[in-house]
Amino acid sequence: DGGITQSPKYLFRKEGQNVTLSCEQNLNHDAMYWYRQDPGQGLRLIYYSQIVNDFQKGDIAEGYSVSREKKESFPLTVTSAQKNPTAFYLCASSRARTSETYEQYFGPGTRLTVT
Amino acid sequence: AQSVAQPEDQVNVAEGNPLTVKCTYSVSGNPYLFWYVQYPNRGLQFLLKYITGDNLVKGSYGFEAEFNKSQTSFHLKKPSALVSDSALYFCAVRSLTSGTYKYIFGTGTRLKVLA
């Protein structure tokens, strides 16, 4: 799982509560990403950030929010507006020089269960 | 739209036999392709990537992948499967959108190697 940490590994919340998932990397990577994984659907991109203080919506951003105040940190907040938040959430990072193509490094994931 | 397809949900192979996990892609411009592996309740691990050059790319753990431009495929292969290769495999393509890069993943193929 490289130099990316996600905490906690398991998270349980009641419906209607906001919850923030932590993602920290010590790889000095510029780009960071949040994905949601559901059985049979692969990975779907929630948000991504190429540089500090800038981020873009991915394919399923509704009900989620992020911040990128520091290069090494990219927390994801799952809000009460997210209709079906129970899923496995993966954070990733990569270098971001446009002249090169870099692979992503993934954290171990956080399994969120909302009841 | 750029996309990746993994046509098989599951592949079963006997230990010691060669394995192939299929991936096809649709991109505009040059394809930048990746394979990742995921073990249960873990993040994804990078296996290999194709950027340019030789059509046969070698990666981690004895895996290789064959890029075929005419068939728009990037199949993952291994000459002799191990039980420990049993895992979920993802193919991905890098996509350029509005000046930023993101990665599009297939739905995953579960590989089961039988002893």
Side-chain angles (χ1 to χ4, degrees):
Chain A
D1 299 323
I4 300 182
T5 56
Q6 290 185 244
S7 60
K9 190 168 178 66
Y10 298 95
L11 191 54
F12 297 88
R13 280 294 182 269
K14 296 287 189 188
E15 197 173 314
Q17 293 179 333
N18 291 356
V19 60
T20 297
L21 281 58
S22 167
C23 177
E24 304 277 332
Q25 54 101 356
N26 62 3
L27 301 168
N28 199 32
H29 285 170
D30 291 306
M32 296 187 75
Y33 310 79
W34 273 106
Y35 295 92
R36 171 183 171 136
Q37 184 176 16
D38 296 283
Q41 296 197 49
L43 274 68
R44 293 184 289 168
L45 182 63
I46 305 172
Y47 268 97
Y48 59 111
S49 168
Q50 302 286 299
I51 57 172
V52 175
N53 292 323
D54 188 40
F55 48 82
Q56 288 79 39
K57 292 182 178 180
D59 302 316
I60 56 164
E62 185 175 349
Y64 300 97
S65 65
V66 294
S67 62
R68 188 82 189 278
E69 297 176 2
K70 298 186 295 182
K71 187 175 185 179
E72 58 270 22
S73 179
F74 192 41
L76 173 75
T77 297
V78 184
T79 75
S80 56
Q82 167 51 232
K83 298 278 187 261
N84 186 18
T86 294
F88 189 51
Y89 290 87
L90 287 163
C91 180
S93 71
S94 72
R95 297 183 190 177
R97 285 172 56 187
T98 56
S99 60
E100 300 285 343
T101 298
Y102 298 105
E103 63 272 19
Q104 293 178 301
Y105 290 77
F106 283 81
T110 292
R111 189 166 296 280
L112 173 65
T113 302
V114 177
T115 57
Chain B
Q2 307 195 76
S3 63
V4 172
Q6 293 181 243
E8 302 155 317
D9 289 336
Q10 181 159 321
V11 170
N12 295 327
V13 63
E15 187 176 29
N17 282 3
L19 70 87
T20 298
V21 182
K22 295 180 181 176
C23 172
T24 59
Y25 64 89
S26 173
V27 300
S28 53
N30 293 324
Y32 300 108
L33 299 156
F34 304 80
W35 274 104
Y36 293 85
V37 61
Q38 185 182 33
Y39 297 98
N41 294 311
R42 302 289 298 277
L44 277 66
Q45 296 176 35
F46 169 72
L47 283 178
L48 49 80
K49 66 183 176 185
Y50 173 82
I51 308 303
T52 187
D54 285 342
N55 290 339
L56 187 64
V57 179
K58 294 192 183 296
S60 306
Y61 313 119
F63 283 94
E64 56 192 27
E66 186 170 12
F67 172 68
N68 188 316
K69 189 171 184 178
S70 62
Q71 297 186 5
T72 62
S73 67
F74 189 54
H75 299 333
L76 181 70
K77 298 173 186 280
K78 188 173 182 182
S80 179
L82 300 172
V83 172
S84 58
D85 293 330
S86 298
L88 187 58
Y89 290 81
F90 288 97
C91 182
V93 64
R94 190 186 75 165
S95 163
L96 178 60
T97 304
S98 303
T100 60
Y101 288 105
K102 60 179 185 178
Y103 299 79
I104 299 170
F105 286 80
T107 52
T109 298
R110 188 165 301 282
L111 174 67
K112 200 167 187 179
V113 181
L114 307 168

